[in-house]
Amino acid sequence: MPYTPPSETSDSNTPPENHQGWQTTPYPITTMPPGIPYIVGNEAAERFSFYGMKAILTVFMTQYLIGSGGGVDPMSDNDAKFWVHTFVMAAYFTPLLGAFLADWLFGKYKTILYLSVLYCFGHLALALDETRLGLAIGLSLIALGTGAIKPCVSAHVGDQFGTKNSHLLSKVFGWFYVAINLGAFASTVLTPWLLDRYGPQIAFGVPGILMAIATLLFWMGRNKFVHIPPRGPQVFRDAFTGEGGRALLRLAPIYVLVAVFWSLFDQTASAWVLQAENMDRTVMGVELLSSQIQAANPFLILILVPLFSYAVYPAISKFFPLTPLRKITIGMFVTVFAFSISALIETSIQNGGTPSISWQVLAYILLTAAEVMVSITCLEFSYTQAPNSMKSIVMSFYMLSVSLGNFITAGVNAVISNADGTSKLPGASYYWFFTGLMLVAAVLFIAVAVTYRGKQYIQESEVEAESEAEGTA
């Protein structure tokens, strides 16, 4: 039932409730919505579970995997890279399923809650069975759970805001990303250590416990959230016809090119881990595990998000106005430099050297700066460019860009893999190939940014003025 606005004598900062107990329109307040802490807490715990599990996947596959006979039967490096990226591809393809379930049948809250339970069972399978069967069942359930809730969670954040507090959206998406990376940083440091000290059962079990906590936190916020009702079969017509279809067509070229960014970025969990095995990982007298180096990314996010928001962007905008598409363009070129460093590292390793891990950390600094400019910006941009009836679905199509990026990486690794386990792109040539691919995508993105014309939508009101400023590269 729609919320009835309060009278002029009421306290406009007091969250209203409908008679059903669930708020179905944004609260008419200028401050932060009351459901945000539960969403942010849920996201931090869920990301701990996902990134903790993902951090040890490559090492688990290449060192710990058990065969049908009960002995250790690990995968080759090429096979591990292929399957890691296939898993990530699946995890970012299922958002489309989650978005349609949310907008068609269940609403975002129920979709997130139900699939989170399935997600927990995926972690349980990984913890209990160290064979390829347990790996397949666990990763399949996690890919379905994490992927299907992903567009619903990010759209659920935006749904909490109305016209009076929509100015806080940018700040909340930034801190939402910080929560993601707090969880990711803690788990990326902890789970490799747990794997090394206590084995796969504990290392996979702890992320499972955090996923259960994430599910509980989300359930606790049920009476604080704004619940946008599902729309039934109308969602399919909206998605592929009318304004919804036009919005997706406008965004499609952006998502295709951003996919190339993700094809490089997600190799921090595969190729960069394997590269770190051949580097000097001693820091202040302590030798880090190769999979722990991934913690550099979420740690740097915690520094760079506020730095870019409050210092870098305002400083650049004084001389060169930064629209969202301009930020993404710059980020894509920065990614080229990041992967160039990894190619130079591999050249040194090929020549018999043992380069310091600090060189890979430098590559992480550049890649994380690119992530701030590309990923956070795309997240907010996608939400504002989606018609109000299409928030989850447009978010899911953005997630498809991550899936497509990992499809590219998995496909390349499948094509270049020789029957004897060697590669058609050995050593540094592998990294230079992806560096060149990123450069081509960045150049093409300039043309897309220049020609883009979009519309901005916020819950409660639709601002349909042409966003010509967004179409300036």
Side-chain angles (χ1 to χ4, degrees):
M1 180 177 178
Y3 154 74
T4 302
S7 66
E8 293 183 357
T9 59
S10 68
D11 181 358
S12 61
N13 289 322
T14 301
E17 296 182 358
N18 60 38
H19 74 278
Q20 296 174 328
W22 280 4
Q23 182 68 33
T24 57
T25 58
Y27 296 110
I29 56 176
T30 58
T31 54
M32 203 65 73
I36 292 297
Y38 296 93
I39 300 175
V40 173
N42 161 268
E43 188 70 7
E46 187 271 330
R47 291 290 85 184
F48 181 107
S49 76
F50 180 79
Y51 282 106
M53 174 276 305
K54 183 184 172 188
I56 60 176
L57 263 185
T58 299
V59 173
F60 172 74
M61 289 176 174
T62 56
Q63 298 180 24
Y64 291 85
L65 197 61
I66 300 297
S68 57
V72 177
D73 183 21
M75 294 182 185
S76 68
D77 288 356
N78 283 339
D79 284 347
K81 284 192 287 186
F82 172 80
W83 286 112
V84 166
H85 289 286
T86 299
F87 160 68
V88 178
M89 178 186 71
Y92 284 89
F93 183 82
T94 52
L96 194 60
L97 171 63
F100 277 109
L101 284 176
D103 286 356
W104 174 31
L105 294 174
F106 302 120
K108 299 180 187 70
Y109 170 76
K110 289 182 179 179
T111 300
I112 295 168
L113 187 66
Y114 298 159
L115 289 171
S116 291
V117 174
L118 196 66
Y119 194 163
C120 290
F121 281 108
H123 282 291
L124 183 64
L126 288 180
L128 295 181
D129 190 341
E130 299 170 37
T131 69
R132 282 168 168 77
L133 177 62
L135 183 68
I137 293 173
L139 293 184
S140 296
L141 291 175
I142 291 173
L144 176 59
T146 188
I149 69 175
K150 192 174 293 292
C152 304
V153 172
S154 52
H156 191 54
V157 172
D159 286 347
Q160 307 307 302
F161 292 84
T163 53
K164 292 186 177 181
N165 58 0
S166 61
H167 62 284
L168 297 173
L169 258 177
S170 180
K171 181 180 292 186
V172 167
F173 273 116
W175 288 110
F176 182 69
Y177 216 75
V178 167
I180 290 173
N181 287 278
L182 273 172
F185 172 71
S187 64
T188 307
V189 172
L190 178 62
T191 53
W193 179 81
L194 291 174
L195 180 66
D196 185 59
R197 290 294 184 92
Y198 301 106
Q201 289 190 344
I202 299 297
F204 284 126
V206 170
I209 293 171
L210 265 292
M211 187 59 222
I213 293 173
T215 306
L216 178 62
L217 280 172
F218 191 73
W219 175 81
M220 289 171 62
R222 65 196 183 282
N223 293 322
K224 302 289 185 180
F225 297 145
V226 172
H227 297 256
I228 303 298
R231 296 179 289 113
Q234 178 65 33
V235 67
F236 297 101
R237 291 190 292 273
D238 290 347
F240 302 109
T241 61
E243 188 57 35
R246 288 191 290 272
L248 287 173
L249 285 175
R250 289 194 294 265
L251 290 167
I254 293 174
Y255 293 165
V256 169
L257 293 174
V258 167
V260 180
F261 164 79
W262 291 113
S263 74
L264 275 68
F265 178 85
D266 279 331
Q267 293 193 58
T268 56
S270 58
W272 284 23
V273 172
L274 296 169
Q275 184 181 74
E277 288 281 348
N278 299 309
M279 301 179 72
D280 178 6
R281 303 188 304 276
T282 302
V283 178
M284 299 179 66
V286 178
E287 185 177 15
L288 300 174
L289 299 169
S290 59
S291 50
Q292 285 181 313
I293 310 303
Q294 298 171 79
N297 171 253
F299 174 77
L300 288 166
I301 280 287
L302 300 176
I303 297 172
L304 295 182
V305 165
L307 180 64
F308 271 67
S309 296
Y310 299 110
V312 175
Y313 288 157
I316 295 176
S317 292
K318 291 180 180 178
F319 308 97
F320 180 71
L322 282 177
T323 65
L325 295 184
R326 284 176 172 175
K327 292 178 186 177
I328 297 170
T329 304
I330 295 170
M332 294 177 81
F333 279 101
V334 172
T335 307
V336 173
F337 290 105
F339 238 70
S340 296
I341 292 174
S342 66
L344 294 173
I345 292 171
E346 197 64 28
T347 299
S348 175
I349 293 172
Q350 281 183 284
N351 293 334
T354 308
S356 168
I357 198 64
S358 60
W359 287 106
Q360 199 177 78
V361 172
L362 176 60
Y364 265 108
I365 291 172
L366 291 176
L367 190 64
T368 305
E371 181 189 6
V372 172
M373 289 183 276
V374 175
S375 182
I376 295 179
T377 306
C378 266
L379 190 66
E380 181 186 350
F381 187 69
S382 296
Y383 184 83
T384 61
Q385 295 297 295
N388 290 343
S389 61
M390 288 272 293
K391 298 298 187 186
S392 292
I393 292 171
V394 170
M395 286 296 188
S396 72
F397 274 90
Y398 165 59
M399 300 299 172
L400 282 180
S401 71
V402 186
S403 180
L404 177 59
N406 280 271
F407 174 79
I408 293 170
T409 306
V412 169
N413 276 279
V415 169
I416 66 174
S417 182
N418 295 319
D420 61 358
T422 59
S423 173
K424 296 181 180 69
L425 288 174
S429 61
Y430 177 88
Y431 295 89
W432 285 122
F433 170 81
F434 281 99
T435 301
L437 184 65
M438 186 73 252
L439 180 60
V440 171
V443 171
L444 291 175
F445 194 85
I446 295 175
V448 172
V450 168
T451 57
Y452 183 83
R453 294 294 182 272
K455 298 179 182 181
Q456 181 172 301
Y457 305 86
I458 300 294
Q459 290 291 355
E460 279 191 348
S461 67
E462 299 191 355
V463 183
E464 298 192 354
E466 291 288 343
S467 303
E468 294 190 7
E470 306 295 1
T472 306

